[in-house]
Amino acid sequence: MTLVEAVPDAVDRLEEYVLGDPRHLYDRGARHVVRDAEGTSVRVRVHLAAPAVAARPRARAAPIEGGGWRITDR
């Protein structure tokens, strides 16, 4: 097992995450992302807000004008 594979399991134990338990705050998933430096696509593990958690901000949130989320004035 590599470190990348071991860390999520350790985090799950620490946060008492149990797959399929409706009480947890997040769901694990995998996504493909494009690295800016090389433009290559890589698969990464992500933690996403569980449906009950994600529903709260969606009910109150307003779209970001232009759709961008990065801060570019640094």
Side-chain angles (χ1 to χ4, degrees):
M1 179 179 293
T2 68
L3 178 62
V4 172
E5 293 167 334
V7 169
D9 293 337
V11 170
D12 287 347
R13 282 192 302 278
L14 178 67
E15 295 181 350
E16 299 177 353
Y17 174 86
V18 177
L19 183 63
D21 187 338
R23 297 171 295 168
H24 59 74
L25 301 177
Y26 67 90
D27 288 320
R28 282 191 321 230
R31 297 290 187 270
H32 285 279
V33 298
V34 177
R35 296 175 59 170
D36 285 341
E38 301 90 14
T40 57
S41 177
V42 294
R43 186 176 165 106
V44 298
R45 282 187 159 188
V46 295
H47 285 85
L48 307 166
V53 175
R56 291 187 297 250
R58 284 189 185 127
R60 299 186 306 253
I64 298 172
E65 188 174 324
W69 57 269
R70 291 185 179 186
I71 299 172
T72 58
D73 62 347
R74 288 185 185 190

